Amino acid sequence: MKTYLFILILAVSHHALAKVDLRQVDAFIDQTAAELNLEPQWVRSIVSQAKHQQSIIDAMNRPAEKVLQWHDYRNIFLTDKRTLEGVDFWNKHEAVIDQVVEQSGVPAEVIVAIIGVETFYGRIKGNHKVLDALYTLAFDYPKRSKFFTKELKNFIQLAHEQHINPLEAKGSYAGAMGYGQFMPSSYRAYAVDYEADQVIDLINNPQDAIASVANYLNKHKWKSGGAVLRQVTKPSVEMKFNQLKPHQKDHKTQAEYTVLQLDMADGSQQYWQGFHNFYVISRYNHSHMYVMAVYQLAEAIKAARQEVSS
């Protein structure tokens, strides 16, 4: 019996290793060390401890944005609890948010709503090791291997620059980190040191996270005072709108010509026209259901806060 179990364990281990071509891993280590001017042995000491996780592949193949209808997706994020905790988060960080809004032009409710949708205001940041997630997706997810290989390289560089422990950092199954769930490349490109203390910490510091979410939207050309969405009647053919189902990802169409069709719980449909800032939020997450959830949560938080203060 013990011999059988030993053979079974070896078989399972071999199956897990077989999913990753170790020659590709070695080539990645050498290339990354050379490109980033890092000690090869240091890079290898990190990557060699990464573990392939089949659960990450499974999660990537069934994201909520692809398997849920709008009314189910909406019920996850548009709750009284998430709205009221959004008000609390806003009040707690009001001084920081006010300053960030003035500098970026991005409304407070949108900043708060993104953090609310992404991590429930920092409560749910993800339990996957970022290293495992990026390693698995870089070397065993062919359709997006190029993207995640780049993100793994950025993660190693980020660990070197910001002294993040690459073996301990946790995030989403896609390797996103912190309050705002930034991928490593976005972390390096858009993260802000709000307190000017020479440390950019999006994982534990909500002030850096607030400033970074706003900076991300600002750098993607947020229009201060501009609209995000408005509800419209069903578009006619003559209107020449590009009608999209919420699962679709449209990167080329001008936002002003996009109408989002949402399936409601009673079987009816709603139609919402997107504007430029709709497109900007979609740079954060390309799912149109995600943008709608952020928009509606932002409006709910803003209304609840005004009601409390009135």
Side-chain angles (χ1 to χ4, degrees), residues 69-290:
Q69 295 295 320
W70 162 246
H71 53 86
D72 294 320
Y73 186 84
R74 183 185 189 280
N75 289 340
I76 297 173
F77 301 106
L78 273 296
T79 65
D80 290 342
K81 184 177 180 62
R82 202 175 296 247
T83 298
L84 293 177
E85 291 199 18
V87 174
D88 291 342
F89 183 85
W90 187 344
N91 290 339
K92 182 177 180 179
H93 302 286
E94 183 175 10
V96 176
I97 290 173
D98 286 348
Q99 185 177 23
V100 167
V101 169
E102 183 177 355
Q103 293 172 346
S104 68
V106 180
E109 63 269 19
V110 172
I111 299 169
V112 174
I114 285 178
I115 295 174
V117 168
E118 291 290 348
T119 61
F120 214 133
Y121 315 107
R123 180 186 301 172
I124 307 172
K125 299 174 188 171
N127 292 316
H128 295 278
K129 285 191 174 182
V130 174
L131 178 62
D132 290 351
L134 296 176
Y135 176 88
T136 299
L137 296 170
F139 300 114
D140 187 31
Y141 198 61
K143 65 182 179 181
R144 297 194 67 191
S145 175
K146 185 176 180 180
F147 171 79
F148 284 107
T149 299
K150 180 181 176 182
E151 291 299 332
L152 178 57
K153 186 179 298 183
N154 271 283
F155 179 63
I156 291 170
Q157 190 169 7
L158 180 67
H160 178 73
E161 293 170 343
Q162 296 296 329
H163 306 293
I164 293 172
N165 187 333
L167 305 180
E168 298 296 331
K170 291 186 177 181
S172 74
Y173 60 77
M177 295 172 283
Y179 280 81
Q181 293 292 274
F182 275 35
M183 293 298 292
S185 60
S186 293
Y187 200 129
R188 294 189 59 245
Y190 303 108
V192 173
D193 179 8
Y194 176 81
E195 296 158 314
D197 60 359
Q198 307 303 310
V199 177
I200 304 177
D201 182 3
L202 304 188
I203 299 174
N204 302 301
N205 187 334
Q207 298 185 113
D208 283 357
I210 290 165
S212 299
V213 168
N215 186 54
Y216 186 97
L217 298 177
N218 179 264
K219 294 298 185 183
H220 284 82
K221 303 186 185 305
W222 180 273
K223 288 186 179 179
S224 181
V228 177
L229 288 148
R230 73 172 179 186
Q231 191 170 358
V232 297
T233 57
K234 184 175 181 179
S236 64
V237 175
E238 292 76 15
M239 294 174 72
K240 297 182 180 178
F241 280 120
N242 180 43
Q243 185 174 311
L244 297 169
K245 291 285 189 176
H247 301 318
Q248 289 177 273
K249 299 175 181 179
D250 174 53
H251 308 299
K252 297 179 180 178
T253 305
Q254 293 294 321
E256 285 79 3
Y257 294 95
T258 296
V259 167
L260 182 60
Q261 176 183 309
L262 300 174
D263 296 320
M264 308 306 290
D266 62 4
S268 64
Q269 284 80 40
Q270 285 187 2
Y271 299 89
W272 291 75
Q273 180 184 359
F275 296 92
H276 174 79
N277 287 339
F278 164 88
Y279 180 80
V280 173
I281 296 176
S282 76
R283 300 308 86 200
Y284 206 99
N285 183 314
H286 296 319
S287 165
H288 291 165
M289 285 204 298
Y290 172 89

